[in-house]
Amino acid sequence: MTRGQRRRLKNCLLWSNFVSNVVGFIIVYFLIRKLYDPLEASILRASDHVNMVFTPGAFLLVALLTLLYERPIRRYLDLQYKKLSIPAELAINARRKLLNEPFFLIAVDFSVWLLAAVVFSALYWSLGANREIILRPIIMNLITGLITVTVAFFVIEHHLQKKVVSHFFPEGGLSTIHNALRIQISTRLVAVLLACNLIPFIAVLSLFSGLSKAQHDPIRLFEQVRFGTYTLAFVFMATSTWLIMLVSSNLSRPFKEIIQVLQGVRNGRFDRRVSVTSNDEIGYTGDAINEMTEGLIERERMQLSLNLAKEVQQNLLPKDNLKINGFDIAGKSVYCDETGGDYYDFIIIDDAEQKIGVAIGDVSGHGISSALLMAAVRSSLRQRVSLPGSAAEIISDVNRQLVKDVEDSGQFMTMFFLALDTEKRQLQWVRAGHDPGIAYDPDSDSFSDLGGSG
């Protein structure tokens, strides 16, 4: 952030509000002077004198109240510009005030317009003006005040979303700020409807009501009606066009970005994020999409890890079946998940290949933890098999070591271990909690379990 950027950020909302009210002041001043009969000389002089004091004072009051309100916001930007640490309490307070500032400013603005209506109507009353003259500033200030605060709100919100919010909420999360006022999309549309339809209708009615009481010849009255109608139509058409452009920009810009991010997700790209700049339904949707993409990134990483774990685990299983004279030995494992605890192995117990170990095991559960335990048992079993001992001693030693590693985790593994002596044609097995093996006798065409206590 440069010094110029900091200055523009600090004064962006103040100037947006100032310009909106200046435009409103010009409109009301022009309409009162052009649409209504001239005031008496004494009332006009008094009105101009009060206006010379009231108008600068009103703008100064709004500016001072805005600066007082923005103190945490400006302090936050100063610390950010100096690259100093920002206290957590200051950050929360500044963010909350930033989100509430459009509501604060339009409340101050409308209060000033109400004050103007009261001041000038009271002035006209004190000077002995008639009822129509007294009501004139009330009607025009209220109408113009409503239009001004509506336009000011959307102008401030536009600059807030486009320029300021990203410096306070780089990661989004506007909807998580407590005590921050929120305006829904439906409320925005109602405000636009009122500004573009109801308020102009009231203004036209007030114009005809005022002219109907004027004592003019029909030609002059017709000219005033025509001029007033054209003027009001131009003012409200321009205002409506501006409002529609602002609301359209405030709504379409985030929706366009959301669509682009979702299109990227559909194409497998999860690196883009939605820039969340509001705390309404659109902002909440943007935060939800960002959380979704982060979850998809994490899921993709997990999938890559699972694929790698599957590849590593399957490389731990026998690559080929054993080829020993007189015996037909084969095995295969088909996984239902990427990784798991299913295990089988062929182990040469002695170098002469006269004694062969066959192991079948199953770790409780699924996933990476089961695969890791399976790999640990495989390593421990292969190491222990290389040492002297019976099948029972081998499995007992492996189990003893396994208990030390996993007894607190609740995991366990069952195993059927078979030692085949090819020279003596003998089998020796241990059923360590696993299902028994099955022996088939072709002579009797019968099956028997290789059981045991387990």
Side-chain angles (χ1 to χ4, degrees):
M1 181 192 302
T2 64
R3 186 187 299 271
Q5 288 176 327
R6 180 187 61 165
R7 188 182 303 112
R8 286 191 293 273
L9 287 172
K10 292 172 69 173
N11 298 307
C12 175
L13 303 184
L14 178 63
W15 277 105
S16 299
N17 191 45
F18 175 78
V19 171
S20 300
N21 280 277
V22 167
V23 173
F25 170 77
I26 295 173
I27 291 174
V28 72
Y29 187 82
F30 174 80
L31 292 179
I32 288 179
R33 293 301 175 94
K34 296 297 182 180
L35 298 184
Y36 294 96
D37 291 334
L39 298 172
E40 296 180 7
S42 58
I43 298 178
L44 183 61
R45 284 195 301 270
S47 178
D48 288 340
H49 290 157
V50 172
N51 212 5
M52 291 176 62
V53 176
F54 180 84
T55 301
F59 281 110
L60 181 60
L61 176 63
V62 173
L64 289 176
L65 291 175
T66 303
L67 292 175
L68 288 174
Y69 180 87
E70 289 182 344
R71 287 179 63 184
I73 300 173
R74 293 171 177 269
R75 177 62 178 162
Y76 182 99
L77 290 171
D78 288 336
L79 293 177
Q80 192 178 66
Y81 168 74
K82 297 175 183 178
K83 298 182 179 179
L84 299 175
S85 61
I86 301 174
E89 185 176 356
L90 173 64
I92 294 174
N93 191 23
R95 290 166 180 165
R96 182 185 301 112
K97 282 185 170 292
L98 184 70
L99 296 178
N100 291 334
E101 186 163 4
F103 301 93
F104 171 79
L105 291 180
I106 64 171
V108 172
D109 292 345
F110 194 66
S111 299
V112 171
W113 285 102
L114 286 177
L115 181 61
V118 172
V119 167
F120 285 96
S121 61
L123 174 65
Y124 295 167
W125 176 79
S126 67
L127 295 175
N130 58 39
R131 182 172 177 271
E132 187 272 330
I133 299 297
I134 295 173
L135 290 177
R136 183 186 301 179
I138 295 178
I139 295 173
M140 294 309 301
N141 279 284
L142 286 179
I143 292 174
T144 311
L146 287 172
I147 298 175
T148 300
V149 298
T150 303
V151 173
F153 179 85
F154 287 110
V155 170
I156 293 169
E157 186 186 47
H158 177 78
H159 287 94
L160 186 71
Q161 294 182 12
K162 191 174 181 181
K163 299 178 180 179
V164 185
V165 165
S166 60
H167 294 273
F168 289 81
F169 298 90
E171 301 297 327
L174 283 72
S175 59
T176 62
I177 301 300
H178 296 293
N179 299 323
L181 298 175
R182 295 176 174 84
I183 181 169
Q184 298 178 343
I185 296 177
S186 59
T187 308
R188 288 186 175 91
L189 298 178
V190 170
V192 174
L193 178 66
L194 292 176
C196 298
N197 293 277
L198 184 60
I199 298 175
F201 178 71
I202 295 174
V204 172
L205 287 182
S206 66
L207 171 66
F208 282 102
S209 176
L211 293 177
S212 66
K213 299 175 182 179
Q215 301 297 323
H216 298 309
D217 61 272
I219 295 177
R220 184 180 176 187
L221 188 61
F222 175 77
E223 289 296 328
Q224 280 192 286
V225 169
R226 185 177 66 173
F227 179 79
T229 304
Y230 287 166
T231 303
L232 289 176
F234 173 78
V235 169
F236 287 112
M237 284 179 65
T239 303
S240 300
T241 302
W242 193 14
L243 274 178
I244 291 172
M245 290 175 62
L246 286 174
V247 175
S248 176
S249 175
N250 292 346
L251 295 179
S252 63
R253 187 178 65 254
F255 272 125
K256 183 178 180 180
E257 189 171 0
I258 287 173
I259 291 172
Q260 290 176 346
V261 172
L262 291 178
Q263 287 176 341
V265 171
R266 183 179 62 183
N267 296 327
R269 292 185 54 190
F270 311 130
D271 55 335
R272 290 199 58 181
R273 290 176 54 86
V274 177
S275 298
V276 179
T277 57
S278 63
N279 63 340
D280 55 7
E281 299 97 326
I282 301 176
Y284 181 81
T285 302
D287 284 329
I289 291 175
N290 289 336
E291 292 177 3
M292 179 191 71
T293 54
E294 289 175 1
L296 291 174
I297 291 173
E298 186 64 28
R299 182 176 178 181
E300 186 178 38
R301 290 174 181 169
M302 181 67 72
Q303 187 63 46
L304 291 175
S305 299
L306 288 173
N307 292 338
L308 180 60
K310 178 180 180 181
E311 182 180 353
V312 172
Q313 185 183 19
Q314 289 185 343
N315 286 333
L316 297 178
L317 299 179
K319 295 181 175 60
D320 300 306
N321 295 320
L322 285 180
K323 297 180 180 180
I324 300 176
N325 293 332
F327 292 91
D328 207 2
I329 302 177
K332 185 176 183 179
S333 178
V334 180
Y335 288 92
C336 61
D337 298 319
E338 284 83 356
T339 58
D342 297 333
Y343 167 62
Y344 82 95
D345 205 356
F346 305 135
I347 307 172
I348 304 300
I349 297 179
D350 58 27
D351 294 336
E353 295 187 357
Q354 293 180 346
K355 201 169 185 180
I356 304 166
V358 178
I360 297 176
D362 187 14
V363 181
S364 60
H366 300 275
I368 292 181
S369 60
S370 298
L372 291 174
L373 182 56
M374 168 264 187
V377 171
R378 174 187 183 275
S379 175
S380 180
L381 178 62
R382 280 179 166 258
Q383 184 180 23
R384 178 60 186 84
V385 164
S386 64
L387 300 176
S390 64
E393 291 172 336
I394 292 173
I395 296 302
S396 295
D397 290 343
V398 173
N399 180 70
R400 192 177 300 112
Q401 183 62 46
L402 180 63
V403 169
K404 294 179 182 179
D405 293 336
V406 302
E407 63 178 341
D408 295 330
S409 68
Q411 281 189 300
F412 64 92
M413 181 176 185
T414 63
M415 180 173 286
F416 182 89
F417 181 73
L418 174 70
L420 170 62
D421 191 328
T422 60
E423 184 178 7
K424 298 179 180 180
R425 297 291 202 249
Q426 289 181 345
L427 299 178
Q428 188 182 68
W429 67 87
V430 175
R431 191 175 74 86
H434 203 75
D435 293 334
I438 299 175
Y440 172 67
D441 185 355
D443 293 336
S444 60
D445 191 25
S446 61
F447 292 91
S448 60
D449 290 342
L450 304 182
S453 63

